[in-house]
Amino acid sequence: MSASPSPQRGVVLVADDDPVMRLLMLEMLQQVGLDGIEAEDGRLALQLARERRPDLILMDVEMPHLDGFAACRAIRRGDGPGASVPIVMVTGGDDIEAVTSAYEAGATDFVSKPINWPILGHRVLYVLRASDAIARLRIADAQNRAVLAAIPDTFFRMNRDGFYLDYEPGRGFPSRERDGAVPFTSERCVGRHITEVLPREIAARVMEQLSEVLRTQQIRSLEYELLRFGAAQHFEARLVATSPSEVLGLVRDISERKRSEEQIRRLAYCDSLTGIPNRQAFLETLERELQRSKVGNKKFAVLFMDLDAFKRINDTLGHNVGDHLLKIVSERLRETIRPSDLVSRSEALPDEAGTIEPATSATNLARLGGDEFTILIPDLERVEHALNVAHRVKEAMRRPFLIDGNEIFVTASIGISLFPEDGDDCNSLLKFADTAMYHAKNCGKNNAKLYSSSLTMQIMSHVKLEVGLRKALQNDELYLLYQPQLDVRSLEIVGVEALVRWRHPERGIISPTEFIPLAEETGLIVPIGEWVLRTACDQARAWQRALHRSVRMAVNLSAKQFKDENLSQIVLSALDETGLDPKLLELELTEGTLMDDAKATLATLEQLRRIGVHLSIDDFGTGYSSMNYLKRFDVRALKIDRSFICGLPQDSENAAITRAIIAMAHGLKMAVVAEGVETDEQLILLEQYGCDLVQGYFLGHPSSADVITDMLGRLPMMLPAP
Ligand code: C2E
Ligand code: MG
Ligand code: MG
């Protein structure tokens, strides 16, 4: 088979027993630039066809030895190049039978006698060209088949109406029936319409792409999933137009790729510690929810939860316990949101692929990192609904966590942002929920707060307040009040607690609960604390001089101050400058401050002990502390938090707690101060419990130094009769 048109002149074998005919034929061929060789009978024709490999054979039907048909058949039978040489039979007149026999014998074409001599040469040229084209096609076809056989894909041809014209299953595609599933084979597909072979929905998608391919003449691909042989198999079909009305399709089994993609997806979207979705997954869920809510005109909420004091648990009990805690927290969160209406509402959320996800709310929960968790509440009808969820979450965290024999108590602070009220993009919504969470923490932890425009206003005023606070010291806007502490047995005022106030030029008196956290955040607490300390020491020393009596001065220290490496230096110079006896100064710390970093704490406490000042634990019972630590810290007194006292005497639970704290403190040789005593009944009860000191509105509000001077000058107060 000569594929390319030969650069030299073509050679035609002329087989005819009539020498005149041969002569004329050779002449005509010469005219159109072809060379000829002659054979005078069929046998010679066969021999020359094999030996000389002509480009075409003109074969007479009737010849001695071997007639034209037999010679033709013999040439075709061989498997050499001769098998495809074009053979033009020269038949008699209108001998239809001869024509039919010629084709049956494998002839390419025929010319009938009498021969139209002028056009014979052209006819031969035409057949040569056609056969050349066919030869080239055959090569291309063979090459295509070789390529297709080398790739693992299935390929098919399909016409514009969706009928398979050809179907060749790829290597690796199942070829035998298994588990009741019939494999796709050529017999099953060719001649059939696609809807008879593939499920309707997939067939429709293929047809849609097919008409696009025919319209644009560009390659298109689609992926689909089939449940085959008991498992979901994924396929990718690529369609390419081969003519205006036909496409070639290549189908590849991409199940393996899908499996690894799914694995990667799982790794990339799953928090490895807790197994719940991670930040990335949450952001994507949020983005989908945002689009869905925008289209459907719906509302949703983002809850941002952060455990209070998680760092302390990590530091004191170790990271293993911390990790364990996070796992249980995520389980509780999952349980908390499962039975709610979140589940049923998120049921019908379609995923990216457009398929309906099974009912689960797990995707609405995520761990962003550390001890931060987020929950998405879709289809929010009322804000209260989000607050209810926050409440349930808080309640779920309140139950003690039992880890390695430790009973751990944690609380959570929660911030909530709302779509569309608070923002209309994911980042803002997440940021605002985070801001609201910080706000919740500032409001005393274990709290849930909504981010609302009013919160923004608050932040604005926060900024203004900060600017003001920076000037407060220079402008003499800070001053101290003192609240008396009474010895329950002698009924004498033995000490006072210094409480700072800010007289704001526009806003009036501002409470320390508002500006101390701000001072802490900005670091202003250090100069403010130093001023408080010196002023308080100065006042105590003044009373000592004027009244000839020792009044113990309690000064609050915030965590930031306690961590300040110059603390002992500041305390020393306040004492030095004022000449106050260190024994008369008591520093109040909260449990949280002490437990934050036990090692550093011990070093600081040792320095303070050496100076000779006393320590007490403020707001005792609201934080987290271990008795062992308190023993080591050499604490003089525990101040029972106001929240335990305020319900007394009716609240039997708080009464029991108060009694227990007093007994325990006495066991450790510590004194007990009850804060927030507002009634005589409370005072009597505390006296019965053996409480040492009391402080509260019943005995005196925080007051100016002058008022306290008067009180100190008076006789011990009388305890009301029980
Ligand atoms: P704290 O040290 O626990 O102070 C006791 C708070 O309870 C004071 O609030 C006091 O006015 C209030 N209080 C006293 N008796 C009663 C009562 O019978 N009933 C009620 N309902 N409340 C009572 P204040 O003065 O607003 O101080 C709040 C907190 O601010 C203090 O809590 C303390 O933690 C902090 N603070 C106050 N002054 C300073 C300071 O100079 N430096 C630092 N670092 N913190 C301070
Ligand atoms: Mg205090
Ligand atoms: Mg207190």
Side-chain angles (χ1 to χ4, degrees):
M1 167 171 63
S2 66
S4 49
S6 35
Q8 70 270 54
R9 292 154 65 102
V11 176
V12 176
L13 168 63
V14 177
D16 201 308
D17 55 341
D18 181 342
V20 181
M21 285 296 276
R22 291 206 300 272
L23 194 70
L24 277 170
M25 284 182 184
L26 290 175
E27 190 53 41
M28 290 304 122
L29 293 171
Q30 194 97 45
Q31 295 283 314
V32 292
L34 294 169
D35 291 332
I37 46 175
E38 299 170 60
E40 58 203 34
D41 61 44
R43 211 160 43 200
L44 191 58
L46 185 57
Q47 188 188 339
L48 287 177
R50 285 180 181 152
E51 288 170 8
R52 302 282 299 274
R53 300 189 176 183
D55 298 304
L56 187 139
I57 302 172
L58 270 173
M59 181 94 80
D60 188 21
V61 173
E62 271 155 43
M63 285 187 292
H65 302 306
L66 203 61
D67 70 18
F69 299 135
C72 184
R73 263 195 300 276
I75 291 168
R76 287 287 184 249
R77 255 201 310 277
D79 48 12
S84 57
V85 66
I87 301 175
V88 178
M89 291 296 246
V90 184
T91 60
D94 19 60
D95 188 353
I96 291 298
E97 216 170 293
V99 172
T100 315
S101 308
Y103 281 126
E104 275 168 10
T108 313
D109 202 355
F110 68 94
V111 285
S112 49
K113 293 176 184 167
I115 290 173
N116 183 344
W117 293 109
I119 66 158
L120 178 70
H122 298 284
R123 180 80 180 264
V124 167
L125 271 185
Y126 173 79
V127 174
L128 263 178
R129 227 180 292 134
S131 89
D132 193 49
I134 288 170
R136 264 186 285 156
L137 258 182
R138 212 172 276 141
I139 286 185
D141 188 52
Q143 279 171 346
N144 285 344
R145 280 181 191 274
V147 168
L148 292 171
I151 59 173
D153 304 21
T154 286
F155 81 87
F156 63 84
R157 283 192 308 121
M158 185 172 276
N159 68 14
R160 62 159 65 249
D161 300 321
F163 284 93
Y164 287 96
L165 304 174
D166 210 348
Y167 191 95
E168 197 64 47
R171 284 185 290 114
F173 279 71
S175 55
R176 275 197 216 108
E177 184 171 334
R178 185 154 44 94
D179 299 331
V182 187
F184 294 114
T185 55
S186 159
E187 299 78 59
R188 197 180 148 199
C189 300
V190 175
R192 296 270 171 78
H193 191 255
I194 183 165
T195 48
E196 297 175 74
V197 176
L198 291 175
R200 277 200 170 273
E201 180 258 334
I202 297 172
R205 285 174 54 210
V206 174
M207 286 307 290
E208 195 180 307
Q209 294 301 321
L210 183 139
S211 54
E212 273 304 291
V213 167
L214 291 178
R215 192 177 64 79
T216 60
Q217 293 289 304
Q218 277 176 355
I219 299 176
R220 292 254 171 171
S221 66
L222 74 156
E223 289 184 12
Y224 54 87
E225 191 184 319
L226 289 176
L227 197 66
R228 306 214 15 94
F229 307 101
Q233 271 187 300
H234 295 268
F235 298 95
E236 180 194 57
R238 259 169 303 156
L239 303 178
V240 45
T242 49
S243 80
S245 61
E246 239 182 78
V247 297
L248 176 74
L250 289 163
V251 182
R252 180 164 292 191
D253 184 340
I254 53 166
S255 308
E256 196 53 47
R257 193 185 87 200
K258 281 278 170 192
R259 264 192 292 280
S260 29
E261 275 173 8
E262 178 53 28
Q263 181 99 16
I264 290 166
R265 217 188 96 86
R266 226 176 300 135
L267 288 176
Y269 285 82
C270 183
D271 173 49
S272 56
L273 178 69
T274 60
I276 63 174
N278 63 10
R279 172 185 286 270
Q280 187 55 33
F282 188 76
L283 285 175
E284 288 181 19
T285 305
L286 195 57
E287 185 60 49
R288 278 201 296 278
E289 183 55 35
L290 192 74
Q291 298 314 331
R292 200 182 74 97
S293 294
K294 276 182 182 168
V295 172
N297 223 349
K298 289 173 184 278
K299 297 175 174 227
F300 67 87
V302 177
L303 257 71
F304 198 113
M305 185 198 93
D306 184 285
L307 294 180
D308 299 324
F310 176 70
K311 183 181 177 303
R312 202 158 61 223
I313 289 165
N314 247 348
D315 290 349
T316 52
L317 300 172
H319 286 261
N320 281 345
V321 173
D323 283 357
H324 200 149
L325 177 69
L326 291 176
K327 278 189 218 169
I328 310 181
V329 165
S330 72
E331 276 160 27
R332 284 197 192 170
L333 286 175
R334 222 189 319 218
E335 282 163 21
T336 309
I337 58 174
R338 188 184 292 141
S340 76
D341 35 2
L342 308 181
V343 180
S344 56
R345 287 187 179 157
S346 62
E347 254 168 13
L349 277 186
D351 66 5
E352 310 111 295
T355 58
I356 303 297
E357 273 183 5
T360 170
S361 62
T363 51
N364 290 334
L365 167 69
R367 176 175 170 236
L368 292 200
D371 59 343
E372 294 175 346
F373 292 84
T374 44
I375 298 170
L376 173 74
I377 308 175
D379 296 329
L380 196 72
E381 270 153 29
R382 300 164 58 101
V383 179
E384 288 85 334
H385 180 71
L387 288 169
N388 286 346
V389 176
H391 178 71
R392 283 210 301 275
V393 168
K394 267 173 42 187
E395 286 303 302
M397 295 302 124
R398 261 167 61 118
R399 278 181 282 134
F401 291 83
L402 194 70
I403 299 174
D404 294 348
N406 294 300
E407 234 190 11
I408 297 175
F409 291 86
V410 297
T411 54
S413 296
I414 299 170
I416 303 169
S417 63
L418 303 171
F419 171 84
E421 289 86 346
D422 294 335
D424 64 356
D425 68 287
C426 294
N427 283 335
S428 306
L429 286 166
L430 203 58
K431 192 177 79 194
F432 293 156
D434 189 14
T435 309
M437 185 277 292
Y438 271 103
H439 181 56
K441 273 204 197 295
N442 282 336
C443 292
K445 304 194 171 165
N446 194 22
N447 238 316
K449 290 280 174 205
L450 284 167
Y451 181 92
S452 57
S453 317
S454 64
L455 188 55
T456 320
M457 304 276 283
Q458 271 181 40
I459 290 169
M460 294 291 288
S461 68
H462 201 71
V463 172
K464 258 170 84 183
L465 203 64
E466 184 187 327
V467 175
L469 188 59
R470 288 189 186 277
K471 292 195 218 131
L473 259 183
Q474 305 154 13
N475 296 353
D476 254 351
E477 289 165 10
L478 297 182
Y479 64 97
L480 292 186
L481 293 182
Y482 304 92
Q483 188 174 35
Q485 292 181 340
L486 194 81
D487 183 307
V488 178
R489 267 170 292 277
S490 69
L491 298 182
E492 271 185 89
I493 295 172
V494 292
V496 294
E497 177 178 0
L499 294 160
V500 69
R501 296 288 180 269
W502 176 14
R503 192 183 291 107
H504 190 278
E506 288 152 29
R507 286 186 45 191
I509 311 294
I510 298 180
S511 150
T513 48
E514 189 175 342
F515 72 84
I516 292 290
L518 183 65
E520 282 235 289
E521 241 171 71
T522 52
L524 283 170
I525 191 68
V526 174
I528 291 176
E530 199 175 339
W531 175 85
V532 168
L533 198 63
R534 199 169 324 105
T535 311
C537 289
D538 203 32
Q539 183 59 58
R541 180 76 186 112
W543 279 323
Q544 205 179 13
R545 282 208 187 99
L547 305 169
H548 306 290
R549 57 186 271 207
S550 301
V551 178
R552 188 163 40 229
M553 178 61 73
V555 175
N556 292 289
L557 277 196
S558 70
K560 249 283 178 32
Q561 286 174 279
F562 187 72
K563 283 207 188 101
D564 182 7
E565 51 186 21
N566 295 322
L567 176 66
S568 53
Q569 202 46 56
I570 291 170
V571 172
L572 258 184
S573 48
L575 291 169
D576 272 357
E577 282 168 30
T578 58
L580 186 69
D581 179 357
K583 282 206 293 294
L584 292 181
L585 180 61
E586 180 159 289
L587 300 177
E588 293 191 5
L589 300 164
T590 61
E591 293 169 279
T593 308
L594 278 186
M595 301 302 292
D596 223 16
D597 180 356
K599 228 165 149 193
T601 302
L602 272 177
T604 311
L605 289 178
E606 178 55 26
Q607 290 171 350
L608 293 174
R609 206 182 53 77
R610 252 189 263 142
I611 296 172
V613 296
H614 289 299
L615 289 178
S616 60
I617 307 296
D618 204 355
D619 306 343
F620 187 78
T622 57
Y624 164 89
S625 62
S626 118
M627 279 302 142
N628 284 339
Y629 275 68
L630 294 186
K631 217 164 37 184
R632 277 162 65 193
F633 289 159
D634 196 12
V635 169
R636 189 193 73 87
L638 297 186
K639 298 186 72 177
I640 304 180
D641 189 65
R642 203 166 68 221
S643 57
F644 296 101
I645 308 297
C646 72
L648 300 187
Q650 289 79 11
D651 187 333
S652 56
E653 207 173 294
N654 279 337
I657 293 172
T658 306
R659 253 203 329 256
I661 294 177
I662 294 172
M664 180 208 69
H666 285 168
L668 293 171
K669 306 249 171 334
M670 288 187 255
V672 178
V673 185
E675 289 189 280
V677 177
E678 293 184 352
T679 67
D680 53 351
E681 283 172 307
Q682 289 170 341
L683 180 55
I684 291 164
L685 194 70
L686 288 163
E687 198 246 359
Q688 285 168 7
Y689 288 171
C691 184
D692 305 282
L693 296 166
V694 286
Q695 181 183 345
Y697 293 169
F698 181 65
L699 311 151
H701 283 257
S703 312
S704 68
D706 290 346
V707 173
I708 299 293
T709 310
D710 282 352
M711 286 176 90
L712 287 170
R714 270 186 257 137
L715 289 174
M717 71 174 285
M718 295 299 292
L719 194 62

